[in-house]
Amino acid sequence: MSDIVHDDLTESADDHDSHGHHESTGVDNRKLGMWFFLSSEFLFFGTLITNYLLFKGRDFGPGSIYPVEFYDIPFTSISSFVLLMSSLTMVLAHAALVRGDQNQTRTWLAATGMLGLVFVSGQFFEFTEFVNEGLKLTTNPAASAFFLLTGFHGIHVVVGVVLLLSLWGKSVRQPGGLSPEQGLSVELVGLYWHFVDIIWIVIFVVVYLIQ
Amino acid sequence: MATIAPQKIATVFRRPEATTGFWSWITTVDHKKIAVMYGYTAFGFFIVGGIEALLLRIQLAGPDGTFLTAAQYNGLFTTHAVTMIFLFVMPMASAFFNYLLPLMLGARDVAFPRMNAVSYWIFLFGGIFIYSSLFFATNPAPLGGNLPGGALDASPLGSIPNGGWFLYAPNSGTQFSPGTSIDYAALGLQILGIASLISAVNFIVTIFNMRTKGMRLLRMPVFVWMTLIVAFLLLFSLPIIAIALFMLTADRQFGSVFFVASSGGDPILWQNLFWLFGHPEVYILILPAMGMVSEVLPVFSRKPLFGYPAIVFAGGAIAFLGFGVWAHHMFSSDIPTVAQAAFGLSTMTIAIPTGIKIFNWIATIWGGRIRLKTPMLFSLGFVALFVIGGLSGVTHAIVPSDWQQTDTYYIVAHFHYVLFGGAVFGLFSGLYYWFPKLTGRMYNERLGQVHFGLMFLGTNLTFGPMHWLGLQGMVRRTWVYSADTGLGPWNMVVSIGAFIIALSIFVFMVNWTWSKRKGEIAPNDPWDARTLEWTIPSPTPEYNFGVEPTVTALDDFWHQKYDEDDEGRAVRRPEADELVDRLIEANGNPTTEIHLPAPSYFPIIAGFGMMLLAYGIIYHTRPWGIPLIVVGILMLISSLLGWGGEPLEEVHEEHLDGQGDSDHDPGSLDPNQESTPRELAGVED
Amino acid sequence: MSQAVEVHHPKPKDYIRIAVVLGILTGFEIALFYLESAVGDDLPGWVFPVALLSLSAIKFLMVVAYFMHLRYEKPMLSRVFSIGAVLALSLFLILLAISGQIVVFG
Amino acid sequence: MSGRQSKRVWRRYALLGLTSLLLAACSEQTLPLNSLDPKGPIAERIDGLFWPVFWIAVIVFFLVQGALLAAILIFRDRNVEGQKEPKQIHGNAVLEVVWTAIPTLILAGIAVPTISAVFDLADCPTGAFEVDIVGHQWWFEYSYPDYDITTANVLVIPTETEVCANMTSDDVLHNFWIPNLNGKRYLVPGSNTELRLNADEPGEYWGQCAEFCGLSHAKMRARVIALDQSDFDLWVEEQQEVPEPPAEGTPEWEGLQVFQQAGCTGCHVLAGVNEPSRQDVTVVAPNLTHFASRSVFAGATLPSGFDPTQEEREAALASWLADPPSIKPGSFMPDLGLTADQIDALIAYLESLE
C-alpha cells in the first residue's frame, strides 16, 4: 500500500485540477473502481483454483473418476484459442473507437461478442459431454471443484457477452455511433473482458495442461 | 442548492422528486441520508442482537438452565454473532464512513452515490432475509435424531440458523442440518457480503479520487485512513468467503460434495477458507473504531495525534499481517505442526503494530489538556479495554496454551474485550462526538457519562469473569453446564453484568431521543475540533460544502485557529472566532449553483431483487422457486439498466460547479452519458 | 479518458503481432502437454509444470500490459492490480502448503 | 466537575480490582474441568508456558493502564482561568523505535519456549499405549486395538504412561478435551488426528467436547479414569470377559428380554447377546457389554455429582431410559415408550453387566 501512497506524496493532489472537483489521482472514478474490482476478482478465482488443486490429486476410493480423465485437450485448446483471439478483437474495437472509426468499432464489438458466445457454447458442450460420460457435480469434490471453477468463469464470460452486445446495440442504434464518453464504457468492458481472458490463460494451464 | 427539474427520460419510472418525507429516504442517494439509514438500521439490529445476548445469559445464569431449549440456544448464539458482526458493527461503521468520508475529504458526495444506496438496500434486505428465517425456515433434527416429545421445536426461535456464525462443515451440510435455516444464514451472509464489497470499491475510489484541493494522502484524518484500510480488507477478504459460501450453498442445494466427508470432501478446507476471511474480518470490525478514537483523543486533549504516520502505518501493518494469521483459529484442528508454529509466530507479530497504536494514543493524551466529555470517556475506555483484549490475545498466540483455551469462554472474553470493549466503545465515542454534527444539537452530558459508567462497569463484569470461566473449563456454545463443574457463581455475575450493559444502552437511547429534539442548540464548532466536517453548519447541509475547501496541512482547521508560541504551546489566533463564523457562513450559503446527484428508485429495487433471488435459490425445488429466481434477476437487471438509463444529475444549461462524480456499476452501460455535465467536463480536461 | 494517454497506444498492427505471439505461445503450451505425455517419464517431474506455468505467465503479462494497456497507464493502476494478484498467489500458496501436508500425512 | 470526575474514574478501577480479588478467592472450589490444574506431564508443560506469559501480560497491563490513568489524572483539564494550552508535540522518532523494539523483544522471548513446546508436544512418541477414539453425535467411543475392547463415555488409561489417542469422527467435527491432562484436539471425519494423554496419579478426570457439534453439543462430555498399571490390567481382564447370560426368571433375565424385544439391539452391541464377531457391527450407539463398569453414561452426562450413590445412579438411568431426547435433544436414541416395569427390569439387567 505504501507504494500507492508514494505517487501521491510527491505530487500534490490538486496538480491536475484546473476547476471544479475532479479525480485526485487523475484516473476516472469508474476506471479506478474497475481496476480495484478486478484486483479483488483475483481472490475469487484464486479460491476456486485452489479448491480444484486441493482436490484433484486426492484419492476418493476405488472406482472413483477424476475430471482429468475426461479432458479433451484438442477441443479445449481450440476454445482457449477462441477466447484469446476475442481479446484481440476487443482491443481492436477500442482502438477503432479511439481513432473515431465507428464502423470498425461496431464490427469488432460484434466479433468479440460472437467469439465469447463460441467459447461459452464450447463450455456448455464440454459440460454436457462430461455429464453424459458420468462426471457430475455430485461425483466427488474434484468434480465439484472443476464444475464450480469453470462454471464461475463461464458466468463471467456470459456477463461479458451481455455487456458487449448491449454496447454493440447502442453503436448500431445511435445515429452517430458510440459517443466519446461511451468510449470509457468500451474501455471498461474491455478491461473486464481481458481479465476474463487472463484468468482462462491460467485455468487452461493449471487445470487442463499440467498433469 | 440542488436543482431538481422534472424531465422526460425514457426510464421505467418517473424520476423521484421528493426531497423530504418517506420517499426522499427511499430514493435518496445522499451519503448523509444513507448514513443515517445505516445508523438506525444497525442500531435496531444492535438491540435485537443485545436481546439475544440477554436471553442467552438468562439461560446460562445458573447451571442446567431450562429457560431455552437446545435448538433455541444454538439458534440464538448463532444469530447473536451474525447480528452483531454483520448487522451491527459493520453497518454502523459504514454509517460513519458514509457520513464522514466526504466531509473529511472536502467532497460533496462519495464517488458512486447510487452504488452507495444500492449497498444500503442490499444490506437491509440481507438482514431482513436472515431474520425472516424466524417465520419461514425449518430446523428438523438430523435424520434419525429425536427431539423431546418427538416434535419439532415449535417456537419461531427454534427455526433460526443454528450452525454457529462460522457454519463449520460438515455440521452445516444437509446431512446434519437438514432444514432450511442454514441456507438462510449462508445466503444471507452472501448478500451482506455483496453489499460490503460494493461499498468497499466505492469507499476506496472516494478516498483516492474525491479529495479536495491539497488533501494529500498523508493529510487525511486517521479515520479516513482506517476506512481505506478497512475497504482494502473487505475488497480482498470478502471474495474468499463468497466462494466458500457458494460452495456451501452448492453442497446444500445442488448436491456438490466439497464438505461432505463421506464423499471425500474436506471439512478443514471450510475452516481455512472461513478464517482466511474471518480473521481480516476482525480487523474490519476494529479498525473503524481505532480511526474514531484517533480523531477523538487529540481533540479532547487539545494536542495533535502523536505519531500520525506511525499510527497510519501500524493500521496498514495490522491489516497486512491480518491476512497471514488465519490458522490460529485452528490450532487444535488438523493442521501440521510446522504450520502451527509459523502461525503462532505471525500471530504474535500482530501485537507489535497494535502496541504502537496504544502507545501513541497514550502519548497523545500525555501532556494534553484532557476534557473528560462523554466521547473522550468512551475513547479512553476503548484504550483501557482494548489493552486487555490485546494482552489476552497474546496468550493464545502461545500455541500450546491455545490448545487449552480455544473453544472456551476465555476466547469469548478475549474477543468481547476487543469487539465490545473495543469496537463498540469506539462506535459510541463516535456517536457522541459527531452527534452535534448530525443533529445540530448537543446530547445530555450527564446522561452520557452515566451511560459510560454503567457500560464500563457492565463490560468488565460481563466479560472479565469469562476469562476465568474459560480457564476453569467452560466450553463455548453449550446451552447447559452441569452444577458439578463449579461454574455457576461466575456465570451469575456475567449475567448480571449483561443486564447492566443493557441498562446503559437504555440510558443512551433516552439521551439520543431526547437530545435530538430537545437538546441545546450546538455551537458551530463545539469541540474546538481539527477536521473539515466542523467548518460547515450543523446539521450538514445537503451539499456539504458551500465553498470547496483547500487544505494545506494535516488538521488544517486547527492550524487556522491556533498558532504555536515559542514554547510550542497552542495559542488561539485572535481572529479564530471570526474565522470559524465566516467559514460556517460561507459554507452555509453557497454563491454558485451546486448540482447534486438526483434520487433514484432503482437502488431499493435492486436490493429487493437480490432478496427474492435468495429466496428463489432456497426454494428452487418448489414450483414457485424458479419464478422467484427469474423475478429477482429481472429486478436486478432492470434496475441496473434503468439506473444506467437515468442520468446521475439532471441536465443543466451551463456547467458551473459539477459534482465530481460518476456513478455506474463497473461495466454497466450508460446510453445517456453525454448528457451528464460532469462527463463533459471530464473530456475537456 | 485522457487523450494524452491514448497517443502512446500501439497501432492495430501491433495488437495483431501481439496476438500472433500469444497464439504461438499457446501452441507451445499444447505441444508441451503432448510432449509430456510422450517423454514425461524421462525428465524430472517439475520440468513441464514449470515450463507451462512460465508460458502462461508470459501470456498473462502480455495481455495485461498491452491489451489492458497497463503499460501505458499510471503506475498506480499496476500497483492496484498487482496487490490482488500477489495477495491471492501468496495466500493460496500458503493454503496449498498447509493443506498439502494433510494429504501427505493424513 | 473535574474532581468528581476523577473520583468516578477511581471508583471504576477500584471495582475492577475488587473483581479480580474475588476471582482469586473463589479458586478453591472444586473445578473438575480446570485447565490450570495440570495432572500430568503434558498439561504441566502447557501450564508452565501459560503462567510466565500471564505474568508478563499482567505487568504490561499495569504499566499501560497505569500510564493511561496517570495521564488522565495529571493532565485533565482543571477548567481554571489562564491554564496554559498544551505543547503541540507531533511525535518522537526515538520513542516510536523504543516502543516497537521492546514488544518485539518480549515477543521473541516468548516465542522460543512456545515453538519448542509446540514441537515437543506435537507427535505421539513411538511405542505409546494406543487407544482409538471415535466421535459420535453425542458421545465418545473408545477402543483398545491391542486388547480388543470397545467401550464408551469412560476412557480408562494406565497412569504414568504415554497414551496416544488416534482420533476420528463418525459424523461432524468434535473436539476431545480433558483439561487436566492436555489441551484439546479435533476429531475430523475422514481423517485422523492424534492426542497425547498422560496422567501422573490414579483418578477421574473430566472432559467435554469443545467443538460445536449440533443440538446436544453441551451434553457431549467425557471421563478419563486413570488406574495404576495393576488395576488397569485387572480392568482389561474384566472387559475382555463375555458376561454370563442371566438365569431365567430373574429380574436381570427379564431385563434381557426387554433389551432384545424393545429395539435396543438395533443400535447397541452387547457381547454374548447380539455380537457374534465384533468387526461386523456398524456402531451407531455405545457398546454396552460392560455397562455397569462405567461410572457415567448418556454422553457422560449422567449420573451427575462426584460420587453418586447406586440409588442416584439408578434414578438417572431410569430418567434416561424413559425419555432420552429430553436429556439429549436430537438424540439418536428414541423414546421407546417403555413402561416403568420394563425400565426397572432393564436397569436390573444393565447394572449386572460388570
Side-chain angles (χ1 to χ4, degrees):
Chain A
M1 192 168 305
S2 60
D3 268 355
I4 299 184
V5 177
H6 182 72
D7 256 8
D8 199 71
L9 296 182
T10 49
E11 53 183 293
S12 150
D14 49 314
D15 281 350
H16 4 253
D17 269 20
S18 47
H19 72 281
H21 189 151
H22 295 301
E23 295 80 7
S24 318
T25 57
V27 181
D28 183 274
N29 279 349
R30 292 166 63 196
K31 189 161 156 183
L32 191 61
M34 180 53 109
W35 277 104
F36 274 108
F37 171 69
L38 294 181
S39 189
S40 148
E41 283 264 34
F42 276 120
L43 278 294
F44 279 101
F45 282 103
T47 312
L48 287 165
I49 294 175
T50 309
N51 280 337
Y52 178 76
L53 292 180
L54 275 177
F55 284 122
K56 78 165 190 176
R58 289 204 188 172
D59 180 10
F60 301 114
S64 43
I65 46 175
Y66 298 90
V68 67
E69 300 161 16
F70 294 79
Y71 292 156
D72 180 353
I73 295 298
F75 180 82
T76 311
S77 301
I78 292 168
S79 61
S80 302
F81 188 75
V82 166
L83 194 63
L84 196 62
M85 287 308 114
S86 78
S87 257
L88 172 65
T89 54
M90 184 70 233
V91 81
L92 290 176
H94 184 233
L97 191 68
V98 171
R99 283 199 312 276
D101 187 340
Q102 292 284 348
N103 280 334
Q104 281 216 18
T105 307
R106 209 169 293 151
T107 316
W108 290 126
L109 278 178
T112 312
M114 285 304 128
L115 289 172
L117 273 182
V118 170
F119 177 84
V120 174
S121 319
Q123 196 168 39
F124 184 75
F125 174 76
E126 186 190 34
F127 279 16
T128 327
E129 283 289 290
F130 285 10
V131 170
N132 288 339
E133 290 167 33
L135 188 81
K136 299 188 177 70
L137 183 69
T138 53
T139 303
N140 57 36
S144 298
F146 171 80
F147 283 113
L148 201 69
L149 166 61
T150 50
F152 193 75
H153 181 267
I155 290 171
H156 273 74
V157 178
V158 170
V159 170
V161 169
V162 170
L163 294 174
L164 283 166
L165 292 184
S166 88
L167 266 183
W168 173 77
K170 275 179 197 121
S171 79
V172 174
R173 266 202 322 274
Q174 286 170 188
L178 293 170
S179 67
E181 292 73 36
Q182 282 165 341
L184 182 63
S185 294
V186 174
E187 190 181 349
L188 295 184
V189 173
L191 288 178
Y192 174 84
W193 191 260
H194 297 307
F195 182 82
V196 171
D197 183 31
I198 59 174
I199 291 297
W200 189 259
I201 288 176
V202 175
I203 292 176
F204 180 54
V205 161
V206 172
V207 173
Y208 286 90
L209 293 187
I210 291 181
Q211 291 165 10
Chain B
M1 274 297 188
T3 47
I4 292 164
Q7 206 205 1
K8 285 215 163 74
I9 294 158
T11 54
V12 189
F13 300 96
R14 208 155 49 88
R15 296 296 300 262
E17 286 154 28
T19 52
T20 54
F22 179 73
W23 285 106
S24 76
W25 290 95
I26 298 291
T27 60
T28 189
V29 296
D30 176 5
H31 69 99
K32 296 176 290 295
K33 282 191 163 173
I34 292 172
V36 169
M37 292 196 292
Y38 261 118
Y40 278 101
T41 314
F43 195 82
F45 281 122
F46 177 54
I47 300 299
V48 173
I51 290 170
E52 288 166 349
L54 293 180
L55 295 176
L56 297 173
R57 282 322 311 177
I58 293 173
Q59 166 72 7
L60 293 178
D64 293 313
T66 51
F67 180 68
L68 297 173
T69 66
Q72 289 168 346
Y73 184 91
N74 294 345
L76 284 171
F77 82 66
T78 303
T79 44
H80 167 70
V82 169
T83 305
M84 289 307 195
I85 294 168
F86 295 99
L87 301 177
F88 168 53
V89 175
M90 284 172 75
M92 188 56 102
S94 197
F96 281 98
F97 298 159
N98 265 301
Y99 202 91
L100 294 170
L101 271 193
L103 299 188
M104 285 181 158
L105 292 169
R108 295 241 159 87
D109 210 318
V110 292
F112 306 108
R114 276 182 296 204
M115 257 169 65
N116 205 18
V118 167
S119 297
Y120 170 74
W121 292 112
I122 293 179
F123 147 69
L124 177 68
F125 286 117
I128 292 173
F129 176 79
I130 290 180
Y131 270 97
S132 70
S133 61
L134 270 172
F135 311 105
F136 306 142
T138 55
N139 240 342
L143 193 65
N146 301 280
L147 287 166
L152 300 183
D153 209 304
S155 79
L157 275 187
S159 64
I160 50 181
N162 63 356
W165 82 286
F166 43 86
L167 292 172
Y168 268 8
N171 188 45
S172 55
T174 39
Q175 189 188 348
F176 303 104
S177 300
T180 49
S181 79
I182 298 287
D183 298 301
Y184 277 85
L187 285 164
L189 293 183
Q190 188 75 280
I191 295 176
L192 297 175
I194 292 168
S196 297
L197 195 63
I198 296 174
S199 359
V201 172
N202 201 349
F203 292 144
I204 292 176
V205 175
T206 302
I207 293 171
F208 275 120
N209 261 359
M210 304 292 285
R211 285 166 285 147
T212 192
K213 296 189 190 87
M215 182 65 81
R216 297 179 193 173
L217 288 175
L218 279 182
R219 286 179 190 164
M220 300 192 307
V222 173
F223 179 72
V224 177
W225 265 109
M226 294 306 127
T227 309
L228 180 65
I229 292 166
V230 167
F232 268 101
L233 284 171
L234 287 168
L235 191 73
F236 294 126
S237 67
L238 284 171
I240 304 173
I241 191 69
I243 295 297
L245 290 168
F246 268 134
M247 291 159 69
L248 180 61
T249 305
D251 272 14
R252 292 184 59 87
Q253 299 288 345
F254 307 111
S256 64
V257 288
F258 290 107
F259 306 120
V260 182
S262 53
S263 308
D266 185 350
I268 302 302
L269 175 63
W270 170 268
Q271 293 190 2
N272 274 309
L273 295 180
F274 184 83
W275 290 115
L276 262 162
F277 151 79
H279 200 81
E281 171 70 21
V282 174
Y283 299 117
I284 290 167
L285 299 174
I286 190 68
L287 286 170
M290 288 180 161
M292 288 179 217
V293 167
S294 305
E295 298 302 322
V296 170
L297 291 176
V299 167
F300 290 89
S301 312
R302 306 179 65 72
K303 272 182 69 199
L305 188 65
F306 194 93
Y308 168 91
I311 285 191
V312 168
F313 178 78
I318 289 174
F320 178 76
L321 293 172
F323 273 105
V325 299
W326 80 87
H328 72 209
H329 296 266
M330 306 161 56
F331 280 152
S332 73
S333 185
D334 193 6
I335 59 169
T337 311
V338 178
Q340 300 210 0
F343 278 95
L345 286 178
S346 67
T347 303
M348 284 182 196
T349 56
I350 295 249
I352 298 166
T354 312
I356 293 176
K357 288 202 162 215
I358 303 259
F359 297 135
N360 276 299
W361 285 328
I362 293 175
T364 301
I365 65 167
W366 193 269
R369 188 174 162 185
I370 301 169
R371 295 173 298 167
L372 290 173
K373 301 282 187 196
T374 310
M376 185 62 166
L377 288 174
F378 273 99
S379 282
L380 293 170
F382 168 99
V383 177
L385 298 174
F386 189 78
V387 166
I388 300 173
L391 287 171
S392 62
V394 173
T395 62
H396 343 296
I398 314 304
V399 183
S401 295
D402 188 71
W403 294 335
Q404 287 280 19
Q405 295 157 0
T406 185
D407 280 325
T408 70
Y409 269 71
Y410 190 81
I411 304 290
V412 181
H414 158 71
F415 71 74
H416 278 97
Y417 265 95
V418 175
L419 294 182
F420 195 86
V424 178
F425 270 66
L427 290 172
F428 275 114
S429 177
L431 284 172
Y432 282 107
Y433 178 64
W434 283 291
F435 183 84
K437 183 84 262 155
L438 179 71
T439 61
R441 292 176 185 272
M442 297 302 289
Y443 62 86
N444 182 304
E445 183 62 40
R446 206 182 171 81
L447 281 180
Q449 299 198 356
V450 169
H451 170 203
F452 171 75
L454 284 173
M455 193 158 140
F456 193 80
L457 173 72
T459 303
N460 285 304
L461 273 186
T462 308
F463 304 117
M466 282 186 183
H467 289 110
W468 188 234
L469 283 170
L471 293 172
Q472 286 174 334
M474 177 140 174
V475 164
R476 297 171 72 178
R477 300 154 190 149
T478 49
W479 99 99
V480 282
Y481 52 92
S482 141
D484 314 325
T485 55
L487 300 170
W490 282 114
N491 267 301
M492 180 55 84
V493 175
V494 169
S495 295
I496 292 170
F499 278 89
I500 296 178
I501 296 177
L503 180 63
S504 78
I505 302 299
F506 179 72
V507 173
F508 167 78
M509 285 161 71
V510 169
N511 195 354
W512 185 276
T513 342
W514 186 84
S515 306
K516 204 160 80 73
R517 290 157 206 273
K518 302 273 173 65
E520 274 175 56
I521 299 292
N524 288 330
D525 179 16
W527 311 124
D528 204 359
R530 318 174 72 87
T531 37
L532 286 177
E533 74 272 24
W534 301 102
T535 64
I536 54 178
S538 303
T540 318
E542 202 183 357
Y543 45 82
N544 297 355
F545 293 89
V547 180
E548 287 193 60
T550 304
V551 295
T552 54
L554 175 67
D555 292 338
D556 192 72
F557 183 41
W558 172 266
H559 293 298
Q560 289 187 49
K561 294 185 288 185
Y562 286 87
D563 201 357
E564 286 177 24
D565 67 9
D566 301 338
E567 277 182 286
R569 292 181 187 280
V571 181
R572 195 164 172 91
R573 297 179 200 270
E575 71 277 16
D577 291 338
E578 195 201 331
L579 171 105
V580 174
D581 291 344
R582 211 173 56 231
L583 267 173
I584 305 267
E585 177 68 20
N587 276 324
N589 299 289
T591 49
T592 52
E593 195 190 5
I594 297 168
H595 306 151
L596 291 175
S600 172
Y601 290 115
F602 294 115
I604 190 172
I605 296 174
F608 192 72
M610 188 78 87
M611 183 173 77
L612 291 188
L613 176 59
Y615 281 120
I617 292 173
I618 292 186
Y619 298 106
H620 75 275
T621 49
R622 310 274 182 92
W624 41 275
I626 301 288
L628 214 51
I629 294 181
V630 173
V631 171
I633 291 179
L634 282 181
M635 283 176 85
L636 267 176
I637 292 180
S638 63
S639 57
L640 290 181
L641 288 181
W643 147 19
E646 62 181 16
L648 184 63
E649 294 167 36
E650 300 303 336
V651 179
H652 301 284
E653 297 287 302
E654 192 190 358
H655 176 232
L656 289 173
D657 190 4
Q659 164 81 8
D661 176 327
S662 58
D663 184 345
H664 303 270
D665 181 47
S668 88
L669 307 165
D670 189 343
N672 289 307
Q673 220 168 25
E674 67 270 38
S675 62
T676 347
R678 231 289 301 137
E679 296 293 341
L680 291 172
V683 173
E684 283 156 23
D685 272 2
Chain C
M1 190 169 51
S2 168
Q3 295 301 323
V5 172
E6 300 291 344
V7 173
H8 301 295
H9 270 186
K11 301 265 177 324
K13 254 188 222 160
D14 304 317
Y15 288 132
I16 292 169
R17 262 186 224 126
I18 291 161
V20 168
V21 174
L22 287 172
I24 293 171
L25 291 178
T26 310
F28 281 151
E29 287 175 351
I30 298 161
L32 275 176
F33 173 82
Y34 285 107
L35 199 63
E36 181 173 11
S37 308
V39 300
D41 299 339
D42 306 337
L43 289 167
W46 53 267
V47 169
F48 285 98
V50 166
L52 282 168
L53 285 175
S54 318
L55 282 174
S56 92
I58 294 169
K59 284 166 70 184
F60 180 102
L61 290 174
M62 282 177 72
V63 174
V64 172
Y66 295 99
F67 287 179
M68 294 171 92
H69 35 85
L70 203 48
R71 249 192 96 171
Y72 310 101
E73 300 279 3
K74 286 177 171 279
M76 178 197 173
L77 289 185
S78 306
R79 289 173 199 141
V80 166
F81 197 54
S82 35
I83 291 177
V86 171
L87 189 69
L89 196 63
S90 33
L91 285 186
F92 294 119
L93 282 177
I94 298 173
L95 177 56
L96 281 173
I98 64 176
S99 306
Q101 299 273 8
I102 293 173
V103 175
V104 173
F105 299 124
Chain D
M1 145 97 197
S2 50
R4 209 177 60 228
Q5 198 65 56
S6 71
K7 235 184 239 160
R8 271 197 204 149
V9 173
W10 268 118
R11 246 182 269 154
R12 257 166 240 137
Y13 279 88
L15 225 137
L16 197 68
L18 203 72
T19 315
S20 27
L21 267 179
L22 271 168
L23 229 101
C26 281
S27 60
E28 296 302 316
Q29 240 180 317
T30 317
L31 298 165
L33 291 169
N34 193 350
S35 70
L36 301 178
D37 183 17
K39 293 286 170 62
I42 301 164
E44 269 156 21
R45 177 82 187 264
I46 297 175
D47 199 54
L49 204 54
F50 174 76
W51 285 107
V53 177
F54 174 78
W55 287 115
I56 291 172
V58 167
I59 293 166
V60 175
F61 171 84
F62 278 108
L63 288 177
V64 175
Q65 305 287 25
L68 186 67
L69 206 57
I72 296 169
L73 294 178
I74 300 169
F75 299 107
R76 70 183 186 280
D77 186 358
R78 290 184 172 74
N79 213 13
V80 285
E81 278 296 310
Q83 184 177 352
K84 280 184 180 169
E85 290 287 356
K87 283 188 185 167
Q88 303 291 300
I89 300 158
H90 294 265
N92 182 318
V94 177
L95 274 178
E96 299 290 348
V97 172
V98 168
W99 60 47
T100 309
I102 291 178
T104 310
L105 290 176
I106 295 175
L107 289 169
I110 296 173
V112 175
T114 302
I115 301 300
S116 82
V118 169
F119 284 97
D120 289 351
L121 297 178
D123 296 318
C124 285
T126 46
F129 180 91
E130 300 232 349
V131 292
D132 293 338
I133 304 183
V134 182
H136 300 272
Q137 279 180 328
W138 292 273
W139 54 285
F140 289 106
E141 181 191 14
Y142 310 109
S143 51
Y144 299 74
D146 300 338
Y147 300 99
D148 195 24
I149 295 172
T150 302
T151 175
N153 296 322
V154 182
L155 173 66
V156 179
I157 58 169
T159 53
E160 293 180 348
T161 308
E162 270 286 348
V163 177
C164 179
N166 297 304
M167 310 194 293
T168 188
S169 167
D170 189 40
D171 35 52
V172 298
L173 294 171
H174 299 285
N175 200 340
F176 188 74
W177 187 34
I178 309 293
N180 293 149
L181 302 183
N182 195 350
K184 52 184 84 65
R185 195 84 175 153
Y186 275 69
L187 286 70
V188 183
S191 78
N192 288 300
T193 51
E194 284 180 353
L195 181 75
R196 291 163 63 183
L197 296 170
N198 194 339
D200 288 335
E201 302 286 330
E204 187 174 17
Y205 304 104
W206 290 38
Q208 163 80 44
C209 171
E211 180 53 57
F212 178 66
C213 54
L215 266 181
S216 278
H217 161 55
K219 296 273 177 114
M220 184 165 173
R221 298 175 190 163
R223 293 286 162 87
V224 169
I225 291 181
L227 298 174
D228 283 337
Q229 190 63 48
S230 52
D231 289 344
F232 182 77
D233 293 339
L234 275 177
W235 177 83
V236 167
E237 243 171 73
E238 214 176 81
Q239 296 289 311
Q240 284 171 333
E241 280 169 21
V242 174
E244 292 286 314
E248 208 169 313
T250 57
E252 288 82 8
W253 180 81
E254 275 170 34
L256 175 59
Q257 305 313 307
V258 177
F259 186 81
Q260 285 173 317
Q261 285 149 23
C264 308
T265 47
C267 305
H268 290 283
V269 163
L270 222 159
V273 177
N274 67 338
E275 191 199 30
S277 96
R278 282 171 206 268
Q279 279 74 28
D280 298 343
V281 181
T282 319
V283 177
V284 290
N287 180 314
L288 298 177
T289 309
H290 294 279
F291 176 81
S293 73
R294 300 177 202 156
S295 60
V296 282
F297 50 87
T301 54
L302 294 175
S304 54
F306 290 98
D307 215 356
T309 61
Q310 185 60 27
E311 285 83 62
E312 283 168 341
R313 183 179 160 91
E314 287 180 10
L317 188 50
S319 70
W320 170 244
L321 293 172
D323 187 6
S326 74
I327 289 168
K328 282 209 279 180
S331 155
F332 291 88
M333 175 156 157
D335 176 357
L336 292 170
L338 301 173
T339 64
D341 288 345
Q342 286 176 309
I343 290 175
D344 285 344
L346 262 181
I347 292 175
Y349 173 59
L350 290 170
E351 287 299 278
S352 72
L353 299 168
E354 286 286 349

